[in-house]
Amino acid sequence: SAVISQKPSRDICQRGTSLTIQCQVDSQVTMMFWYRQQPGQSLTLIATANQGSEATYESGFVIDKFPISRPNLTFSTLTVSNMSPEDSSIYLCSVITGDSPLHFGNGTRLTVT
Amino acid sequence: GEDVEQSLFLSVREGDSSVINCTYTDSSSTYLYWYKQEPGAGLQLLTYIFSNMDMKQDQRLTVLLNKKDKHLSLRIADTQTGDSAIYFCAHSGSARQLTFGSGTQLTVLP
C-alpha cells in the first residue's frame, strides 16, 4: 500500500491564524481525501482533493475556511484558515490507489488556543 | 438515526474473543471496512469486505456481513492487550468516500 506522510504531525496555534497541512504520498494515487476527527468523535469527510481543479466539499465545509490544493497525483495541502478553538481536531489525509481500500496518514493533531 | 451505528464500549478478558458489531443503513454500500485507532495515532486499516461476500478471515480477524440485516461484525480471536484501541466500522459506495461509525472502544483486561 502507499506510504502517506503528513506534516506537521501536531501543532499548537493561536486563534485567528492559519495552518497549512501537507500530505505527500510515495506513489501516484487515484483519489485523495481530507477528514477531520474532533476530540472523542468519529471521522467526518471535509472534501475530496481533485488534481488541478477545485476540491469537492462536503456539506458544512467551505473553501474559504478549508482551502485545498492538489497540484499533482502525489501531493495535497489543506489549510485551516482563521482558526478558532473549535477547529482543534485531528486532520487526516487519506488516499485510494486503483481498487485498493482507503488508507490514512498518521494525521495532524491541531490545538487552537 | 445515524448512518452507521456501533456500541461505544466493549471489555473482554485477555485470551477471550472480542466481537464488535456495526449496523448501517445504506443498502448501496459497496465496501465495508474495519479500522483500528490506537491512542494518539492515525487510522490503521485492519480488514475490509466487499458487499457480495458474507465472510472474510485473516489470521485472528473474522469479518461477518449480513447484507439483508445490514449488519457487520468483527471478531478478534485470542484478544491481547495490544488489541486495546478504538475500532471504527465504515462503508463506502461507488464514490469511494467513507462514512464512519462512532467507534467502539475495546478494553482488554488482564
Side-chain angles (χ1 to χ4, degrees), chain A residues 40-113:
Chain A
Q41 303 293 314
S42 186
L43 281 78
T44 302
L45 179 65
I46 297 172
T48 303
N50 300 311
Q51 188 213 349
S53 64
E54 190 173 294
T56 305
Y57 289 85
E58 297 300 304
S59 175
F61 297 96
V62 295
I63 188 172
D64 289 347
K65 176 67 176 176
F66 297 101
I68 288 170
S69 78
R70 189 182 169 191
N72 56 52
L73 292 174
T74 63
F75 184 77
S76 178
T77 66
L78 167 74
T79 298
V80 186
S81 302
N82 188 24
M83 289 183 283
S84 66
E86 292 72 34
D87 295 319
S88 297
S89 297
I90 302 173
Y91 292 86
L92 297 117
C93 169
S94 60
V95 304
I96 289 175
T97 303
D99 289 332
S100 73
L102 195 70
H103 286 274
F104 285 85
N106 285 328
T108 296
R109 188 177 296 269
L110 171 63
T111 303
V112 184
T113 59

Side-chain angles (χ1 to χ4, degrees), chain B residues 82-107:
Chain B
D83 295 323
S84 292
I86 300 176
Y87 291 80
F88 290 97
C89 165
H91 71 84
S92 70
S94 58
R96 309 298 298 277
Q97 299 126 328
L98 264 62
T99 301
F100 284 84
S102 57
T104 299
Q105 172 74 61
L106 173 65
T107 302

